[in-house]
Amino acid sequence: MCGIVGIVGKTHAEQIIINGLQRLEYRGYDSAGLFVSDEKQEHLVKSQGRIKNLQEKLTNEVNGTIGIGHTRWATHGKPSEENAHPHTSQNGQLVLVHNGVIENFAELANDYLAEENFYGQTDTEIVVNLIASFMEKESLSTKTAFQKALSVIHGSYAFALVNKEEPETIYVAKNKSPLLIGLGEGFNVIASDALAVLDQTHEFVEIADNELVTVTADGIVIEDQKGEIIQRDAYQAQLDASDIEKGTYPFYMLKEIDEQPTVMRKLTQEYRDDQGKVNIDKDLVEEVSASDRIYIVACGTSYNAGWAAKSLLETVTQIPVEVQLSSEFGYNMPLLSERPFFIFLTQSGETADSRQVLVQTNRLGFPSLTITNVAGSTLSREAKYTLLLHAGPEIAVASTKAYTAQIAMLAILAQAVGKNKNSKASTSFDAFHELSIVATAMESMVDEKDYISSLVEHYLSTTRNAFYIGRGNDYYVASEAALKLKEISYVQAEGFAAGELKHGTIALIEEATPVLGIITGQNTGAHTRGNLKEVESRGANTIVIASEELARQEDQIILPTVHPLLTSLVAVIPTQLIAYYACLQRGYDVDKPRNLAKSVTVE
Ligand code: G6P
């Protein structure tokens, strides 16, 4: 979703900003813009579409020493040049970039700016004019006017503000949306994601909600809402710029699909102690063990990962598990059990829908764990416990390795809790051993690229719609498989409980509709095969993805055998590749699908 990069104190600020914005491209955006100033000249450039359009608009004469840049994913107002950030106040003095959503922007415009006309439709344009009006009408300094505006704003934001008459200072503030300060020698940077500025620094300072930070070339000053100065130590980002290179891969998604066996082994390394036992915070294990119900709260692919791990968690821990969509759960909280434990599954650790649930569960005093790929992310900071996925940055918008890492992480947690509770199933379940078998099985599946590409060409190259079906865990993989296919190839794909198809959806089956059946469940395989026959009789082209022991000779994809509770980890791999090739063969951008954002920081 929207990205922010800014720098003060270095020449060619525009180039640093462009590089940073390019590193944030993967998060999804539809327009971009930047403001730079070199004390003599100012440049404000915006464009719809890709960052290269912005780059083309910059002339060689630009040599900024301060600047702020932005990639926008439209919420208020269509994607257009006028709605792109930075936004300028009507007196021309202030420029502002913003991530997030200002909920009371219409009231603010009405109460404070009734006489003004705006060039666009964004909430950000209201805010920049609000600050300017406080400065003008009340003779306030930039900082005080900014502080005053923050006190009347409701919503989520990460702001970076420059007053053209103070071309040595960037003012920043955040609430709910991420923003970091990066420290350099003789310069400082700001970014909504550390990845954007790793070529400049590895030393970062976090900003807490409702703080205001004054950033100059020589230092930063953090103030709380009352204006009290806050001292905060910097931390070293444990990321390597090479982690975000594509290497020889044509797309990040393919690289990330290939990385999954390594991620399985990395997780084992990270969470196994010298005796081969699970090494997870004992207090966390105790708190989960003491709960009478686990609530997994998540969105998108992470939600599907929650479902894929449900029966594994229940079997090994003997604790009932509910999987809930954050955006629904937050507003329609069901009757909770007496001792609930909340697990927030979130690749980015920033998803606003999930965060609003965490804010509520914190308020209610319930223990929580965030399982995320991003150390220091908002949900990680705000939950009582964090388990990191150690999957390395996931850049492709369509999530692959984070999905499998989340399931594997839950398997490791399940083992720790099961052992702690002495559950019967945990004695025969060795997560580390099983994950090493999974890693090898995954390797053999990712090696099937050419074959899968040819299958896609045969069955899916022109179709408008497709169905994945399965039962039990296979149904949950079917949901993820369908999501992946629709996200990047725009095929209207649905994941269905195989038995449910005949109760309505079978009406959609036409001649040559692809129906992909996933069959890894011992007790359900025969039924799913029956359901495939039903659609075949109505003209569908069926494709079977079956585990070795249940496979028939005519099945198209055969999965190596793994522990029955972990089959999703292997069954999902061919479906990721199917989505990848369906997208590629249609000529779409694999890593940056239309309308989607990697990290969705609005509700
Ligand atoms: C966005 C992404 C999805 C992702 C979902 C949840 O919609 O496009 O790929 O699954 O957010 O993200 P999270 O970071 O919370 O896992």
Side-chain angles (χ1 to χ4, degrees):
M1 204 155 244
C2 307
I4 291 177
V5 180
I7 184 156
V8 51
K10 228 179 185 184
T11 53
H12 284 298
E14 67 290 345
Q15 209 39 59
I16 296 164
I17 292 169
I18 291 271
N19 290 346
L21 293 179
Q22 272 166 341
R23 289 180 167 189
L24 296 182
E25 275 192 297
Y26 77 96
R27 299 174 76 106
Y29 70 104
D30 37 49
S31 54
L34 63 80
F35 166 81
V36 287
S37 162
D38 61 4
E39 288 178 29
K40 285 188 240 98
Q41 278 193 74
E42 290 145 8
H43 305 268
L44 179 73
V45 194
K46 303 189 199 186
S47 79
Q48 213 187 316
R50 297 292 183 217
I51 288 167
K52 64 174 176 7
N53 306 348
L54 189 68
Q55 226 167 348
E56 282 160 14
K57 286 189 174 175
L58 280 170
T59 60
N60 288 335
E61 297 130 47
V62 184
N63 181 7
T65 50
I66 182 170
I68 49 176
H70 189 263
T71 46
R72 172 174 187 255
W73 189 83
T75 56
H76 292 69
K78 62 180 192 305
S80 66
E81 204 169 305
E82 67 185 9
N83 285 334
H85 302 211
H87 284 287
T88 310
S89 58
Q90 287 180 15
N91 62 9
Q93 197 182 342
L94 303 180
V95 278
L96 180 75
V97 295
H98 164 218
N99 289 354
V101 173
I102 305 305
E103 286 153 15
N104 61 335
F105 79 101
E107 291 91 318
L108 293 172
N110 203 31
D111 294 352
Y112 297 98
L113 307 166
E115 271 126 61
E116 301 197 24
N117 294 315
F118 304 104
Y119 54 75
Q121 295 88 43
T122 68
D123 46 354
T124 312
E125 196 189 340
I126 307 293
V127 176
V128 74
N129 282 299
L130 184 67
I131 304 167
S133 95
F134 287 150
M135 286 178 73
E136 263 171 35
K137 291 186 189 141
E138 301 181 32
S139 306
L140 300 179
S141 67
T142 317
K143 192 176 83 184
T144 314
F146 188 23
Q147 191 72 278
K148 179 161 184 179
L150 295 176
S151 70
V152 293
I153 283 171
H154 301 309
S156 58
Y157 54 78
F159 286 126
L161 172 74
V162 175
N163 181 340
K164 293 181 187 172
E165 287 166 19
E166 303 168 35
E168 66 296 322
T169 310
I170 306 177
Y171 298 95
V172 304
K174 76 171 277 296
N175 182 42
K176 299 185 188 170
S177 299
L179 197 64
L180 292 165
I181 313 284
L183 305 180
E185 293 276 324
F187 71 94
N188 286 306
V189 286
I190 58 161
S192 52
D193 183 334
L195 283 180
V197 288
L198 281 181
D199 56 342
Q200 300 299 318
T201 183
H202 275 64
E203 206 181 345
F204 290 91
V205 176
E206 281 178 6
I207 315 173
D209 283 355
N210 304 313
E211 290 175 345
L212 190 155
V213 191
T214 308
V215 185
T216 56
D218 311 322
I220 63 166
V221 179
I222 309 176
E223 290 169 56
D224 68 12
Q225 271 169 312
K226 292 188 216 111
E228 305 271 334
I229 294 184
I230 294 171
Q231 302 297 339
R232 185 166 300 135
D233 291 339
Y235 69 91
Q236 278 301 111
Q238 301 298 327
L239 281 166
D240 198 328
S242 66
D243 287 345
I244 54 167
E245 301 304 333
K246 246 190 323 217
T248 53
Y249 283 91
F251 290 99
Y252 281 106
M253 185 180 175
L254 196 63
K255 174 173 179 258
E256 290 158 8
I257 291 173
D258 268 1
E259 281 170 352
Q260 293 175 102
T262 311
V263 173
M264 295 296 108
R265 294 182 180 120
K266 181 94 197 318
L267 272 173
T268 300
Q269 234 173 37
E270 292 288 338
Y271 290 102
R272 182 161 65 180
D273 69 11
D274 296 343
Q275 278 85 49
K277 296 213 180 75
V278 179
N279 181 16
I280 287 181
D281 183 345
K282 289 199 172 47
D283 293 341
L284 163 61
V285 175
E286 283 299 341
E287 284 214 51
V288 182
S289 307
S291 72
D292 62 357
R293 188 167 293 243
I294 296 170
Y295 292 84
I296 296 181
V297 181
C299 313
T301 291
S302 297
Y303 172 73
N304 289 337
W307 276 107
K310 175 182 156 70
S311 71
L312 157 79
L313 265 172
E314 287 186 333
T315 310
V316 180
T317 67
Q318 289 296 295
I319 302 171
V321 176
E322 272 189 35
V323 186
Q324 298 276 353
L325 280 172
S326 314
S327 52
E328 286 297 311
F329 189 80
Y331 298 97
N332 297 291
M333 212 177 270
L335 184 62
L336 298 177
S337 67
E338 274 176 28
R339 299 185 310 281
F341 187 93
F342 283 86
I343 299 182
F344 293 87
L345 280 188
T346 166
Q347 184 280 130
S348 63
E350 300 294 348
T351 304
D353 286 326
S354 298
R355 191 201 180 224
Q356 54 90 13
V357 182
L358 176 57
V359 169
Q360 293 188 58
T361 56
N362 278 348
R363 210 179 291 135
L364 293 166
F366 296 133
S368 57
L369 157 70
T370 290
I371 295 185
T372 181
N373 203 23
V374 183
S377 54
T378 306
L379 274 103
S380 156
R381 285 202 309 270
E382 295 180 357
K384 184 161 182 192
Y385 302 100
T386 294
L387 290 173
L388 290 177
L389 296 174
H390 299 287
E394 191 179 65
I395 308 289
V397 167
S399 177
T400 52
K401 62 178 178 175
Y403 170 84
T404 45
Q406 282 167 338
I407 300 168
M409 185 69 251
L410 286 168
I412 297 170
L413 177 66
Q415 166 153 354
V417 174
K419 282 260 153 35
N420 192 46
K421 290 183 68 188
N422 254 326
S423 86
K424 211 165 142 216
S426 72
T427 52
S428 58
F429 182 74
D430 176 350
F432 299 126
H433 173 68
E434 300 304 342
L435 289 175
S436 78
I437 296 174
V438 163
T440 311
M442 281 176 160
E443 260 157 8
S444 74
M445 286 321 304
V446 295
D447 283 349
E448 295 292 325
K449 293 188 186 71
D450 290 344
Y451 170 63
I452 290 178
S453 166
S454 66
L455 269 186
V456 171
E457 215 173 325
H458 185 70
Y459 290 103
L460 287 141
S461 60
T462 55
T463 187
R464 277 292 307 133
N465 53 12
F467 295 90
Y468 272 99
I469 63 169
R471 289 169 181 245
N473 275 343
D474 296 336
Y475 164 41
Y476 307 137
V477 179
S479 304
E480 172 56 14
L483 177 64
K484 213 70 349 181
L485 187 59
K486 67 183 131 193
E487 277 181 315
I488 59 171
S489 74
Y490 316 138
V491 169
Q492 188 160 9
E494 295 304 332
F496 256 88
E500 194 58 20
L501 204 65
K502 60 182 175 293
H503 296 297
T505 309
I506 201 166
L508 296 177
I509 302 296
E510 291 173 352
E511 200 56 38
T513 304
V515 180
L516 298 100
I518 301 175
I519 299 178
T520 72
Q522 285 284 358
N523 57 343
T524 55
H527 288 302
T528 302
R529 282 196 191 277
N531 302 132
L532 283 168
K533 283 281 163 240
E534 289 156 15
V535 292
E536 234 171 56
S537 331
R538 288 157 179 86
N541 281 338
T542 57
I543 300 124
V544 178
I545 302 172
S547 59
E548 228 164 16
E549 59 282 10
L550 298 176
R552 293 190 185 155
Q553 217 184 354
E554 65 275 17
D555 292 347
Q556 285 83 347
I557 297 174
I558 317 261
L559 306 166
T561 304
V562 296
H563 191 286
L565 292 170
L566 295 175
T567 53
S568 353
L569 289 173
V570 182
V572 78
I573 308 282
T575 73
Q576 295 169 341
L577 287 168
I578 287 170
Y580 175 82
Y581 287 110
C583 171
L584 207 64
Q585 287 168 21
R586 284 166 165 74
Y588 300 134
D589 186 338
V590 175
D591 289 336
K592 297 186 218 88
R594 71 184 180 207
N595 303 342
L596 298 183
K598 182 77 186 157
S599 163
V600 180
T601 47
V602 294
E603 278 180 41

Coordinates of all heavy atoms in Angstrom, one line a residue, residues 34-63:
L34 N 7.0 13.3 -5.9 CA 8.0 13.7 -4.9 C 8.2 15.2 -5.0 O 7.9 15.8 -6.0 CB 9.3 12.9 -5.2 CG 10.1 13.1 -6.5 CD1 10.9 14.4 -6.5 CD2 11.1 11.9 -6.6
F35 N 8.7 15.7 -3.8 CA 9.1 17.1 -3.7 C 10.5 17.1 -3.3 O 10.9 16.4 -2.4 CB 8.2 17.8 -2.7 CG 8.8 19.1 -2.3 CD1 8.5 20.3 -3.1 CD2 9.6 19.3 -1.2 CE1 9.1 21.5 -2.7 CE2 10.1 20.5 -0.8 CZ 9.9 21.6 -1.6
V36 N 11.3 17.9 -4.0 CA 12.7 18.1 -3.6 C 13.1 19.6 -3.7 O 12.5 20.3 -4.5 CB 13.8 17.3 -4.4 CG1 13.7 15.8 -4.0 CG2 13.7 17.5 -5.8
S37 N 14.0 20.0 -2.8 CA 14.4 21.4 -2.8 C 15.9 21.4 -2.6 O 16.5 20.6 -1.9 CB 13.7 22.1 -1.7 OG 14.3 23.3 -1.4
D38 N 16.6 22.3 -3.4 CA 18.0 22.5 -3.2 C 18.3 23.9 -2.7 O 19.4 24.5 -3.0 CB 18.8 22.2 -4.4 CG 18.4 23.1 -5.6 OD1 17.6 24.0 -5.4 OD2 18.9 22.9 -6.7
E39 N 17.4 24.5 -2.0 CA 17.5 25.8 -1.4 C 17.3 26.9 -2.5 O 16.7 28.0 -2.2 CB 18.8 26.1 -0.7 CG 18.8 25.3 0.6 CD 20.1 25.4 1.4 OE1 20.8 26.5 1.3 OE2 20.4 24.5 2.2
K40 N 17.7 26.7 -3.7 CA 17.5 27.7 -4.7 C 16.2 27.3 -5.5 O 15.4 28.2 -5.9 CB 18.7 27.7 -5.7 CG 19.9 28.4 -5.1 CD 20.9 28.6 -6.2 CE 22.2 27.9 -5.8 NZ 22.5 26.7 -6.4
Q41 N 16.0 26.1 -5.7 CA 14.9 25.6 -6.6 C 14.1 24.5 -5.9 O 14.6 23.8 -5.1 CB 15.5 25.0 -7.9 CG 15.9 26.0 -8.9 CD 16.1 25.3 -10.2 OE1 15.1 24.8 -10.8 NE2 17.3 25.1 -10.6
E42 N 12.8 24.5 -6.3 CA 12.0 23.4 -5.8 C 11.4 22.7 -6.9 O 11.1 23.3 -8.0 CB 10.8 24.0 -5.0 CG 11.2 24.6 -3.7 CD 10.3 25.8 -3.4 OE1 9.3 26.1 -4.1 OE2 10.6 26.6 -2.4
H43 N 11.2 21.4 -6.7 CA 10.6 20.6 -7.8 C 9.5 19.7 -7.2 O 9.8 19.0 -6.2 CB 11.6 19.7 -8.5 CG 12.8 20.4 -9.0 ND1 12.9 20.9 -10.3 CD2 13.9 20.8 -8.4 CE1 14.0 21.5 -10.5 NE2 14.7 21.5 -9.3
L44 N 8.3 19.8 -7.8 CA 7.2 18.9 -7.3 C 6.8 18.2 -8.6 O 6.4 18.8 -9.5 CB 6.1 19.8 -6.8 CG 4.9 19.0 -6.3 CD1 5.2 18.2 -5.0 CD2 3.7 19.8 -6.1
V45 N 7.0 16.9 -8.5 CA 6.6 16.1 -9.7 C 5.7 15.0 -9.3 O 5.9 14.3 -8.3 CB 7.9 15.4 -10.3 CG1 7.7 14.9 -11.7 CG2 9.1 16.4 -10.3
K46 N 4.6 14.8 -10.1 CA 3.7 13.7 -9.8 C 3.3 13.0 -11.1 O 3.4 13.6 -12.1 CB 2.4 14.2 -9.2 CG 2.5 15.1 -8.0 CD 1.1 15.3 -7.5 CE 1.0 16.5 -6.6 NZ -0.4 16.6 -6.0
S47 N 3.0 11.7 -10.9 CA 2.5 11.0 -12.1 C 1.6 9.9 -11.8 O 1.8 9.3 -10.7 CB 3.6 10.6 -13.0 OG 4.2 9.4 -12.5
Q48 N 0.7 9.5 -12.7 CA -0.1 8.4 -12.5 C 0.7 7.2 -12.9 O 1.6 7.3 -13.8 CB -1.4 8.5 -13.3 CG -2.6 7.8 -12.7 CD -3.8 7.8 -13.6 OE1 -4.0 8.8 -14.3 NE2 -4.5 6.7 -13.7
G49 N 0.4 6.0 -12.4 CA 1.1 4.8 -12.9 C 2.4 4.6 -12.3 O 2.6 5.0 -11.1
R50 N 3.3 4.0 -13.0 CA 4.6 3.5 -12.5 C 5.6 4.6 -12.1 O 5.5 5.7 -12.7 CB 5.2 2.5 -13.4 CG 4.4 1.3 -13.7 CD 4.3 0.4 -12.4 NE 3.6 -0.8 -12.6 CZ 2.8 -1.4 -11.7 NH1 2.6 -0.8 -10.5 NH2 2.2 -2.5 -11.9
I51 N 6.5 4.3 -11.3 CA 7.5 5.2 -10.9 C 8.4 5.7 -12.0 O 8.9 6.8 -12.1 CB 8.4 4.6 -9.7 CG1 7.5 4.6 -8.5 CG2 9.6 5.5 -9.4 CD1 8.0 3.8 -7.4
K52 N 8.6 4.8 -13.0 CA 9.4 5.2 -14.2 C 8.8 6.4 -14.9 O 9.5 7.3 -15.4 CB 9.7 4.1 -15.1 CG 8.5 3.4 -15.8 CD 9.1 2.4 -16.8 CE 8.1 1.6 -17.6 NZ 6.7 1.8 -17.6
N53 N 7.4 6.6 -14.8 CA 6.8 7.8 -15.4 C 7.3 9.0 -14.7 O 7.5 10.1 -15.2 CB 5.3 7.7 -15.3 CG 4.7 6.5 -15.9 OD1 5.4 5.7 -16.6 ND2 3.4 6.2 -15.6
L54 N 7.4 8.9 -13.3 CA 7.9 10.0 -12.5 C 9.3 10.3 -12.8 O 9.7 11.5 -13.0 CB 7.8 9.5 -11.1 CG 7.9 10.5 -10.0 CD1 6.8 11.5 -10.0 CD2 7.9 9.8 -8.6
Q55 N 10.1 9.3 -13.0 CA 11.5 9.4 -13.3 C 11.7 10.2 -14.6 O 12.6 11.1 -14.7 CB 12.1 8.1 -13.4 CG 13.4 7.9 -12.7 CD 13.7 6.4 -12.7 OE1 12.9 5.5 -13.0 NE2 15.0 6.1 -12.3
E56 N 10.9 9.9 -15.5 CA 11.0 10.5 -16.8 C 10.7 12.0 -16.8 O 11.2 12.8 -17.6 CB 10.0 9.9 -17.9 CG 10.6 8.6 -18.4 CD 9.6 7.6 -19.0 OE1 8.4 8.1 -19.2 OE2 9.9 6.4 -19.1
K57 N 9.9 12.4 -15.7 CA 9.6 13.8 -15.6 C 10.7 14.7 -14.9 O 10.6 15.9 -14.9 CB 8.3 14.0 -14.8 CG 7.1 13.6 -15.6 CD 5.9 14.0 -14.7 CE 4.6 13.7 -15.5 NZ 3.4 14.0 -14.6
L58 N 11.6 14.0 -14.3 CA 12.7 14.7 -13.6 C 13.8 15.1 -14.6 O 14.3 14.3 -15.3 CB 13.3 13.8 -12.5 CG 12.5 13.7 -11.2 CD1 13.1 12.6 -10.4 CD2 12.5 15.0 -10.4
T59 N 14.2 16.4 -14.5 CA 15.2 16.8 -15.5 C 16.6 16.6 -14.7 O 16.6 16.4 -13.5 CB 15.1 18.3 -15.8 OG1 15.1 19.0 -14.6 CG2 13.8 18.5 -16.5
N60 N 17.6 16.7 -15.5 CA 19.0 16.5 -14.9 C 19.4 17.6 -14.0 O 20.3 17.5 -13.2 CB 20.0 16.4 -16.0 CG 19.9 15.1 -16.7 OD1 19.4 14.1 -16.1 ND2 20.3 15.1 -18.0
E61 N 18.7 18.8 -14.1 CA 19.1 19.9 -13.3 C 18.7 19.7 -11.8 O 19.2 20.4 -11.0 CB 18.4 21.2 -13.7 CG 18.8 21.7 -15.1 CD 17.5 22.0 -15.9 OE1 16.6 22.7 -15.3 OE2 17.4 21.5 -17.0
V62 N 17.8 18.8 -11.6 CA 17.4 18.6 -10.2 C 18.5 18.1 -9.3 O 19.2 17.1 -9.7 CB 16.2 17.7 -10.1 CG1 15.6 17.6 -8.7 CG2 15.1 18.1 -11.1
N63 N 18.8 18.8 -8.2 CA 19.8 18.3 -7.3 C 19.3 18.6 -5.9 O 19.8 19.6 -5.3 CB 21.2 18.8 -7.6 CG 22.2 18.2 -6.6 OD1 21.9 17.4 -5.8 ND2 23.4 18.8 -6.7

